[in-house]
């Protein structure tokens, strides 16, 4: 019978929610390669956002069905697929009961700050999708498998840019002669980043109340596209977003350089964030899964390897472009966001290193490889999508562009 064969195989079962997305796809393949039993849960809404907004990944991506069958034909490994919305508890609880995960890795949220700042419907969608989805995951764990470890993607942006060092989740404060260790203050800068703050609070409460074990990974901005597994075949290729809504800083700069568009530094360019290579995202996920939190523990890791300002990134891409004979220019774009443009930033990131993370620090060769990747798909670039189109200030109740 199925359950006894599961017991005897002793392979850990990991459900990857959001496994068709940028971080999730790379992670699902990596875990499958490392001999975990993997299931992907995804409602493919990220692909729908592209269709609705007229955007596309720089790299052509195969359908999720073709992706997993190609993986099976290359490696013999099966990745189970559950296509549906985790906000639908009937769907999600059926998937959960059928797969019986030891770990749930949750990437399945609307993750773009500009998308969440487009209009009221998209702000509401972002918060309801993210907060309700995460609550459903917590309810499923509570109801069906209290021992299951939740590994949840949070974001460094939950902390904002305070004028003191950023700790990993908690800070010890002495106030009026008394001392306590408290959740680090959160000051998010978009309705998206705020949805992650709400998630963290809901997860923390569930750990305390029901004894759930959870790891919140406050990830920095991810860059890069290739991992060992996605490199195995063109049908396993990951998505690479470069547009003004879903593209993130370094990935955008490399694509901009490849098509001769000046690099779009918003405002003064002193905005500093934590960054990491997608090859380190998959390593961090593996480490968090292999070393689970204790029952009732709400563990927080800051998941990034280096800090850069956007000005630093523009300079690094210009230098790498020069070597490849590309003349890279930088422009100052009036900042579409409300954020500090010059500020103190010093965030801790030691806990994943202590667990064994071996970082791929940003190097010329990584930038070269991203630039070359972008040059290879140059013909697919839609120049109209490069400049930012969403303003934090002009935010209104009306819906812009098409309907979700
Ligand atoms: P992505 O948009 O590429 O992938 C997210 C996936 O989740 C998509 O495939 C989408 O279809 C799916 N999804 C969304 N809502 C869902 C729902 N209700 N039910 C089922 N599936 C749903 O995003 P990504 O860049 O891979 O980011 C993954 C996670 O990591 C997000 O939670 C994001 O906040 C976090 N993160 C990303 C970055 C980054 O730089 N990309 C940095 C820090 C944190
Ligand atoms: N920026 C530019 N020029 C650009 C794009 C961005 O100057 O062309 C600036 C932004 O103003 C911001 C910084 O670069 O100050 C980072 O912006 P981003 O778009 O690269 O990243 P962000 O909006 O913060 O969001 C991304 C992911 C999100 C994740 C977050 C991690 O989309 O899912 O949570 O990175 S973090 O920033 O650490 O919160």
């Amino acid at each position: 019978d199925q359950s006894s064969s599961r017991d005897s195989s002793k392979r850990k079962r990991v459900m990857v929610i959001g496994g068709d997305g940028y971080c999730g796809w790379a992670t699902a393949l990596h875990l499958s390669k490392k001999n975990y039993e993997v299931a992907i849960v995804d409602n493919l809404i990220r692909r729908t956002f592209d269709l609705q907004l007229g955007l596309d990944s720089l790299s052509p991506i195969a359908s999720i069905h073709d992706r997993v069958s190609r993986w099976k034909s290359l490696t013999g490994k099966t990745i189970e697929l559950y296509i549906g919305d985790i906000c639908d508890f009937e769907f999600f609880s059926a998937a959960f009961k059928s797969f019986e995960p030891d770990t749930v890795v949750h990437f399945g949220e609307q993750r773009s700050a500009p998308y969440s700042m487009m209009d009221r419907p998209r702000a509401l969608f972002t918060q309801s999708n993210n907060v309700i989805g995460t609550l459903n995951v917590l309810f499923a764990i509570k109801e069906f498998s209290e021992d299951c470890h939740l590994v949840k993607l949070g974001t460094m942006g939950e902390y904002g840019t305070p004028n003191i060092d950023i700790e990993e989740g908690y800070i010890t404060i002495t106030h009026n002669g008394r001392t306590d260790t408290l959740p680090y203050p959160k000051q998010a800068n978009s309705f998206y980043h705020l949805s992650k703050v709400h998630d963290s609070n809901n997860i923390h409460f569930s750990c305390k109340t029901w004894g759930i074990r959870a790891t919140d990974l406050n990830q920095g901005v991810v860059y890069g596209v290739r991992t060992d597994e996605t490199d195995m075949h063109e049908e396993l290729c990951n998505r690479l977003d470069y547009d003004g809504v879903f593209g993130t800083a370094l990935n955008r700069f490399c694509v901009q350089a490849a098509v001769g568009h000046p690099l779009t530094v918003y405002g003064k360019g002193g905005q500093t964030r934590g960054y990491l290579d997608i090859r380190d995202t998959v390593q961090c996920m593996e480490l968090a899964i292999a070393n689970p939190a204790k029952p009732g523990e709400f563990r927080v890791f800051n998941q990034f390897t280096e800090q850069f300002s956007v000005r630093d990134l523009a300079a690094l891409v210009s230098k790498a472009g020069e070597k490849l004979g590309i003349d890279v220019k930088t422009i100052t774009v009036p900042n579409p966001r409300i954020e500090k443009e010059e500020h103190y930033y010093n965030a801790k990131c030691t806990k994943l290193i202590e667990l064994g993370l071996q970082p791929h620090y940003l190097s010329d060769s990584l930038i070269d490889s991203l630039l070359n990747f972008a040059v290879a798909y140059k013909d697919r670039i839609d120049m109209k999508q490069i400049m930012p189109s969403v303003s934090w200030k002009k935010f209104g109740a009306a819906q812009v562009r098409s309907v979700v």
Side-chain angles (χ1 to χ4, degrees):
D1 96 297
Q2 209 180 16
S3 63
S4 63
S5 74
R6 278 178 189 180
D7 290 346
S8 61
S9 79
K10 293 230 168 38
R11 288 169 68 192
K12 291 273 182 216
R13 307 177 66 78
V14 184
M15 172 179 271
V16 181
I17 304 174
D20 186 46
Y22 172 57
C23 300
W25 175 238
T27 300
L29 291 189
H30 183 71
L31 295 173
S32 175
K33 174 82 170 296
K34 293 285 172 157
N35 224 21
Y36 286 93
E37 283 288 349
V38 176
I40 286 177
V41 176
D42 203 300
N43 63 350
L44 313 183
I45 195 151
R46 176 70 192 82
R47 294 179 188 247
T48 306
F49 299 148
D50 276 354
L51 292 172
Q52 290 176 331
L53 297 174
L55 309 173
D56 204 353
S57 159
L58 175 72
S59 41
I61 51 171
S63 74
I64 187 64
H65 302 277
D66 289 345
R67 280 175 155 188
V68 299
S69 55
R70 175 58 61 192
W71 180 246
K72 169 97 181 165
S73 73
L74 288 173
T75 63
K77 291 174 186 295
T78 303
I79 294 180
E80 284 183 43
L81 264 190
Y82 296 90
I83 302 299
D85 184 346
I86 62 164
C87 294
D88 171 358
F89 193 69
E90 210 178 311
F91 157 76
F92 184 64
S93 54
F96 193 97
K97 283 191 279 188
S98 146
F99 185 68
E100 299 181 347
D102 300 301
T103 309
V104 172
V105 178
H106 181 15
F107 292 102
E109 300 200 328
Q110 191 303 98
R111 69 110 177 118
S112 154
Y115 186 96
S116 76
M117 299 301 289
M118 263 183 184
D119 51 28
R120 192 190 65 89
R122 288 186 174 90
L124 261 52
F125 169 79
T126 300
Q127 293 217 346
S128 64
N129 184 62
N130 296 1
V131 173
I132 294 171
T134 297
L135 282 170
N136 277 347
V137 175
L138 290 166
F139 284 119
I141 292 175
K142 156 92 181 93
E143 186 103 359
F144 309 121
S145 174
E146 278 184 24
D147 202 42
C148 178
H149 179 207
L150 170 61
V151 178
K152 165 68 169 52
L153 270 291
T155 182
M156 285 302 292
E158 291 180 46
Y159 302 118
T161 51
N163 199 30
I164 57 171
D165 294 346
I166 295 173
E167 303 298 322
E168 294 198 62
Y170 298 91
I171 182 167
T172 301
I173 298 177
T174 301
H175 178 65
N176 294 345
R178 300 183 63 81
T179 300
D180 202 353
T181 297
L182 300 167
Y184 196 95
K186 302 290 176 73
Q187 304 183 72
N189 265 326
S190 72
F191 284 121
Y192 154 69
H193 287 96
L194 279 161
S195 73
K196 296 285 193 186
V197 175
H198 308 329
D199 282 343
S200 295
N201 284 330
N202 287 338
I203 301 168
H204 193 175
F205 172 77
S206 307
C207 290
K208 280 192 296 199
T209 310
W210 298 329
I212 286 176
R213 48 171 98 220
T215 303
D216 201 4
L217 296 171
N218 285 337
Q219 186 169 238
V221 188
V222 183
Y223 58 79
V225 62
R226 308 169 69 162
T227 53
D228 287 349
E229 294 80 19
T230 62
D231 254 3
M232 286 168 64
H233 192 278
E234 62 181 12
E235 276 188 322
L236 302 180
C237 188
N238 206 343
R239 62 178 311 121
L240 185 65
D241 301 313
Y242 66 92
D243 60 86
V245 178
F246 286 96
T248 50
L250 182 57
N251 288 347
R252 267 166 68 68
F253 287 176
C254 288
V255 174
Q256 292 168 355
V259 280
H261 190 289
L263 310 187
T264 53
V265 169
Y266 298 166
K268 294 185 186 142
Q271 300 93 310
T272 305
R273 303 287 183 268
Y275 287 81
L276 75 164
D277 189 309
I278 191 159
R279 292 172 296 176
D280 291 341
T281 295
V282 303
Q283 253 196 90
C284 291
M285 304 316 300
E286 190 187 346
L287 288 167
I289 295 164
N291 302 279
K294 293 192 277 293
E297 185 186 9
F298 176 65
R299 186 173 67 164
V300 184
F301 296 159
N302 292 346
Q303 181 167 318
F304 70 95
T305 58
E306 290 174 280
Q307 295 184 180
F308 298 103
S309 68
V310 274
R311 215 166 31 218
D312 296 337
L313 292 178
L316 288 167
V317 173
S318 303
K319 199 173 92 205
E322 229 170 80
K323 269 198 349 213
L324 298 181
I326 311 174
D327 179 25
V328 184
K329 301 218 165 17
T330 295
I331 44 167
T332 297
V333 175
N335 198 337
R337 308 186 184 197
I338 309 293
E339 60 185 358
K340 286 188 198 141
E341 294 176 1
E342 298 286 1
H343 57 89
Y344 177 78
Y345 198 78
N346 183 33
K348 302 277 169 64
C349 59
T350 53
K351 292 188 183 172
L352 282 156
I353 300 278
E354 281 161 22
L355 284 181
L357 171 65
Q358 293 182 310
H360 293 85
Y361 293 114
L362 182 58
S363 62
D364 289 355
S365 66
L366 183 280
I367 298 185
D368 286 1
S369 115
L370 246 185
L371 278 170
N372 285 323
F373 188 91
V375 170
Y377 292 111
K378 215 170 144 168
D379 292 348
R380 290 175 49 88
I381 296 175
D382 178 355
M383 298 292 273
K384 295 191 299 300
Q385 303 301 346
I386 289 184
M387 290 301 278
S389 57
V390 181
S391 157
W392 268 226
K393 282 198 198 92
K394 290 190 195 125
F395 194 93
Q399 183 156 277
V400 295
R401 301 217 220 176
S402 51
V403 184
V404 171

